Amino acid sequence: MVQAFGGPEVLTVVDLPDPRPGAGQVVVTTEAIGVGGVDALIRGGALAAYGITPGHVLGSEVAGTVTEVGAGVDTSWVGQRVWAFTGESGGYAEQAVASAETLVPIPAELSAVAAVTLGSSAMVAHFALRHAHFARGESVLVRGAAGGIGVAAVQIAARGGAGAVAVTTSSPERGERLRELGATHVLDRLGAGASDAPAHYDVIIDIVAGAGLPSFFGRLAPNGRMVVVGVMAGPPPADFGMEMVAAFRKSMSFATFSADTVPMVERRAATAEIFAAAGRGELEAVVHEQLPLEQAVRAHEMMDAGEVLGRVALTVSRS
């Protein structure tokens, strides 16, 4: 639970009553819980304006077994191993409530940790590339590629036949790991560092935003498209669009993307296909570390320090 907004130390373990499902909901007894960048933003108070207050239980995705269903939910879900989206809260728990419409069965060959590593991240990457109208043969730059969404975007773009997949990241070691996942060119955080990299890109997927965002308009090709899917470095400057206006004749496009705009039935179908692809060995769940649920503070310390490549997952032991 978030006692007060601040650093990782504000997280504390508390005992709460067992949750009960409402109409259309299920209870999932968790095996693994995804730890994402949005959790750190919530913990720090960045989303307080949206009504999130201290006392909030973090966690938006879990994997485990359905143990109870609410009114109107097919009872055949009970006993099934599933991935579930819990919304903005409630995932960091031994039992979590989720809407039945979010449930995606987990294939037998996929672990619960892999499911929460790929679930939301790869789904967002998939739809962000679609939002950018990415087509086979086009060049893609993933800005901030070491996180869960970035790692998935690299793999999906490469699997989709991108002509080049460049990444920005913070170290050569991370760059080499991203090459193993499909990146063809590794750049530093400013977008420099590879003399053989394309000068311009058809698509830029940006998970970072922040003050540096406007400079990347200069890396778009004519008719290029930039899609921002995260603001891990904060919002861009208020006048960031002036860079686009200055290059008016290039017909560039800028968009934001949130999975909230995708119908749930499409999100479920995409997640199911992502899990199937992972089961076939076509996508890799990049797990930086697995930690017990009780060590959520450590997970957030690692994220804040920029240590994570891929995702951290929390696990629940019932020995």
Side-chain angles (χ1 to χ4, degrees):
M1 177 182 289
V2 178
Q3 301 177 83
F5 296 133
E9 71 281 356
V10 305
L11 298 178
T12 187
V13 177
V14 297
D15 288 322
L16 296 173
D18 290 345
R20 298 301 305 276
Q25 295 180 326
V26 304
V27 172
V28 177
T29 296
T30 59
E31 296 176 44
I33 300 139
V35 178
V38 69
D39 297 340
L41 292 173
I42 291 171
R43 185 208 74 221
L47 302 183
Y50 295 90
I52 295 175
T53 60
H56 185 90
V57 176
L58 296 173
S60 62
E61 62 184 306
V62 300
T65 302
V66 176
T67 50
E68 189 176 358
V69 300
V73 179
D74 189 337
T75 57
S76 67
W77 280 113
V78 175
Q80 287 202 49
R81 190 164 162 266
V82 301
W83 174 90
F85 179 67
T86 59
E88 295 176 342
S89 65
Y92 288 20
E94 294 177 336
Q95 292 185 305
V97 173
S99 171
E101 70 172 355
T102 73
L103 302 180
V104 179
I106 301 174
E109 62 272 19
L110 201 68
S111 71
V113 167
V116 296
T117 299
L118 288 168
S120 289
S121 293
M123 181 270 293
V124 168
H126 164 82
F127 284 112
L129 285 162
R130 189 180 78 170
H131 201 62
H133 302 286
F134 163 68
R136 180 175 292 273
E138 290 191 317
S139 55
V140 177
L141 170 62
V142 182
R143 182 173 178 235
I149 296 173
V151 162
V154 168
Q155 295 186 75
I156 294 169
R159 181 178 173 228
V165 182
V167 297
T168 71
T169 190
S170 59
S171 71
E173 294 76 21
R174 289 182 170 214
E176 286 307 307
R177 181 68 178 103
L178 290 163
R179 284 186 184 276
E180 294 172 359
L181 296 168
T184 56
H185 301 86
V186 177
L187 311 176
D188 64 21
R189 286 178 170 175
L190 299 178
S195 59
D196 61 339
H200 301 95
Y201 298 88
D202 299 301
V203 171
I204 296 178
I205 302 297
D206 190 339
I207 302 104
V208 181
L213 182 149
S215 67
F216 281 85
F217 285 126
R219 306 305 298 273
L220 282 174
N223 298 305
R225 294 88 67 195
M226 180 188 293
V227 175
V228 174
V229 297
V231 289
M232 297 310 298
D239 62 349
F240 75 92
M242 294 305 296
E243 295 286 342
M244 291 185 67
V245 174
F248 191 89
R249 296 177 68 184
K250 290 176 67 176
S251 300
M252 298 182 296
S253 300
F254 173 84
T256 59
F257 173 75
S258 168
D260 290 345
T261 59
V262 179
M264 186 58 70
V265 64
E266 293 185 34
R267 290 156 65 178
R268 286 179 63 185
T271 303
E273 171 51 31
I274 287 162
F275 288 169
R280 297 189 298 266
E282 297 170 8
L283 286 176
E284 182 179 343
V286 179
V287 183
H288 184 85
E289 192 164 343
Q290 301 178 40
L291 295 169
L293 175 58
E294 295 79 10
Q295 293 186 28
V297 169
R298 174 59 186 145
H300 278 246
E301 288 173 344
M302 294 166 67
M303 285 200 300
D304 282 8
E307 299 174 3
V308 177
L309 193 154
R311 294 195 75 180
V312 175
L314 301 174
T315 58
V316 178
S317 175
R318 294 182 171 85
S319 57

